[in-house]
């Protein structure tokens, strides 16, 4: 009985020593993997080491590995850099790489911007756009083909010839329209924006600009001359009438009054001598 108890004691002691040795070995391995683990890190790290940089990040930050030569260090960022997309997990937020032809992406299978030489279409980066679409070298996307559109024709212009509307019988009249939508590279080209046709009008004589101006000046001068002449004649007439009136008044003042001639019949009447 005593021997059985002693054997059980040694078995239990050896088992405890084995467990202790395993724990010490695990601690040594962790020390080799993460030497100098620190809780007081900078730059958004929750835990870090001198050799590996950040080992875990503070809440809401993304953990990403950056390569420096042959070495990779962990950093914590508020958003993932170009060429990466963010994934959130309960214990850690990580930045994962986009596809090789993708510059920025929402997920690994949905690109938002392609690298040079590729065109974006429905979240994918393509070297050539599908049929019915064309490559837009400005936005680097596959877009719909746009055809040219023109407005309605304007009314026909008056019949002219060499910029004039007189002095001819046969001329030309023109109508125009505007481009309201310019085409894309593969779109239908724009039609003509002007159109002309022959026209016939009743010939009318053109009045020369210099001669017409000269005639207008002569008419104006003649009119002014006639008005001046009439004004002078009226002034002379008023002056003559005033002079005649004054002369008559003066004559009336200077001439003596004429005596009334006696009535001869009265002078020759018989004198009553009956007295």
């Amino acid at each position: 009985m005593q021997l059985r108890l002693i054997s059980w004691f040694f078995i239990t002691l050896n088992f405890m020593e084995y467990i202790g040795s395993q724990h010490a070995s695990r601690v040594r391995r962790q020390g080799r993997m993460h030497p100098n683990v620190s809780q007081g890190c900078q730059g958004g790290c929750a835990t870090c080491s001198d050799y590996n940089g950040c080992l875990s990040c503070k809440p809401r930050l993304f953990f990403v590995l950056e390569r420096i030569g042959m070495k990779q260090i962990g950093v914590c960022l508020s958003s993932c850099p170009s060429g990466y997309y963010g994934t959130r997990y309960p214990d850690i937020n990580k930045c994962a790489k986009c596809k090789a032809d993708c510059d920025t992406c929402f997920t690994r299978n949905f690109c938002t911007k392609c690298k040079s030489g590729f065109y974006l279409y429905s979240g994918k980066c393509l070297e050539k756009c599908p049929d019915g679409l064309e490559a837009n070298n400005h936005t680097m996307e596959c877009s719909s083909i746009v055809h040219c559109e023109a407005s309605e024709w304007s009314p026909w212009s008056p019949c002219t010839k060499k910029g004039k509307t007189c002095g001819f019988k046969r001329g030309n009249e023109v109508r125009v329209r505007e481009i309201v939508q310019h085409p894309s590279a593969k779109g239908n080209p724009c039609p003509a924006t002007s159109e002309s046709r022959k026209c016939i009008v009743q010939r009318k004589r053109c009045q020369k600009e210099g001669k017409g101006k000269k005639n207008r000046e002569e008419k104006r001068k003649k009119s002014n001359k006639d008005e001046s002449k009439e004004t002078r004649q009226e002034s002379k007439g008023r002056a003559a009438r005033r002079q005649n009136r004054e002369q008559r008044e003066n004559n009336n003042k200077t001439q003596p009054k004429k005596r009334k001639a006696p009535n001869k019949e009265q002078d020759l009447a018989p004198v009553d001598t009956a007295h």
Side-chain angles (χ1 to χ4, degrees):
M1 186 67 182
Q2 291 180 352
L3 291 174
R4 186 178 294 178
L5 291 174
I6 292 171
S7 62
W8 275 107
F9 174 76
F10 280 110
I11 292 171
T12 305
L13 181 62
N14 290 332
F15 182 73
M16 293 179 65
E17 288 179 355
Y18 174 77
I19 293 174
S21 65
Q22 291 294 324
H23 179 71
S25 177
R26 185 164 58 250
V27 170
R28 286 195 298 271
R29 286 198 303 270
Q30 290 179 353
R32 287 195 300 269
M33 292 174 62
H34 307 295
N36 300 324
V37 174
S38 174
Q39 297 294 329
C41 303
Q42 302 293 328
C45 299
T47 58
C48 60
S49 70
D50 294 337
Y51 184 79
N52 297 105
C54 292
L55 303 177
S56 62
C57 299
K58 293 179 181 180
R60 302 184 67 82
L61 297 180
F62 290 94
F63 177 81
V64 61
L65 289 173
E66 289 186 351
R67 181 176 293 278
I68 302 177
M70 298 297 294
K71 180 181 176 182
Q72 282 187 331
I73 62 169
V75 293
C76 295
L77 304 172
S78 58
S79 61
C80 294
S82 179
Y84 290 80
Y85 65 96
T87 56
R88 295 187 182 272
Y89 299 99
D91 54 341
I92 189 171
N93 302 326
K94 289 184 177 181
C95 289
K97 260 197 165 188
C98 301
K99 289 185 177 180
D101 54 5
C102 187
D103 194 18
T104 59
C105 59
F106 185 71
T107 64
R108 181 169 178 79
N109 295 322
F110 194 90
C111 189
T112 55
K113 184 181 178 181
C114 298
K115 289 186 177 179
S116 178
F118 295 90
Y119 298 95
L120 181 66
Y121 175 69
S122 298
K124 298 179 181 180
C125 295
L126 307 175
E127 293 184 2
K128 184 180 179 181
C129 292
D131 294 337
L133 301 175
E134 63 178 0
N136 189 326
N137 293 321
H138 179 67
T139 61
M140 298 305 295
E141 296 180 359
C142 295
S143 55
S144 301
I145 298 175
V146 179
H147 301 292
C148 181
E149 294 182 12
S151 65
E152 297 294 331
W153 286 107
S154 67
W156 289 100
S157 67
C159 192
T160 60
K161 185 176 182 180
K162 296 181 179 180
K164 295 182 179 181
T165 58
C166 58
F168 63 92
K169 185 177 181 180
R170 299 179 182 273
N172 293 284
E173 54 186 5
V174 182
R175 65 177 182 176
V176 296
R177 59 182 172 182
E178 296 181 353
I179 302 300
V180 296
Q181 176 64 62
H182 291 276
S184 58
K186 291 186 177 181
N188 295 335
C190 292
T193 56
S194 64
E195 202 174 62
S196 64
R197 67 182 182 183
K198 301 292 183 180
C199 55
I200 300 175
V201 295
Q202 185 176 1
R203 184 190 295 271
K204 58 180 179 180
R205 185 176 298 177
C206 294
Q207 185 176 9
K208 294 183 180 180
E209 184 179 355
K211 186 176 180 180
K213 186 176 180 180
K214 184 177 180 180
N215 291 339
R216 288 194 297 272
E217 289 291 332
E218 291 178 354
K219 288 181 180 180
R220 185 177 61 82
K221 291 179 179 180
K222 185 177 180 181
S223 177
N224 293 338
K225 186 176 180 180
D226 292 342
E227 290 179 358
S228 300
K229 185 176 180 180
E230 290 177 359
T231 303
R232 288 195 299 270
Q233 288 177 353
E234 290 179 359
S235 300
K236 289 181 179 180
R238 286 195 298 271
R241 287 193 296 272
R242 186 171 57 253
Q243 186 177 2
N244 292 335
R245 187 171 56 253
E246 291 176 354
Q247 187 176 2
R248 285 196 301 270
E249 292 176 355
N250 292 332
N251 291 336
N252 292 335
K253 290 180 180 179
T254 55
Q255 290 181 359
K257 292 183 179 181
K258 294 182 179 181
R259 288 184 178 183
K260 190 174 181 180
N263 194 341
K264 293 182 178 182
E265 294 180 354
Q266 293 179 357
D267 294 341
L268 297 175
V271 179
D272 187 8
T273 59
H275 298 291

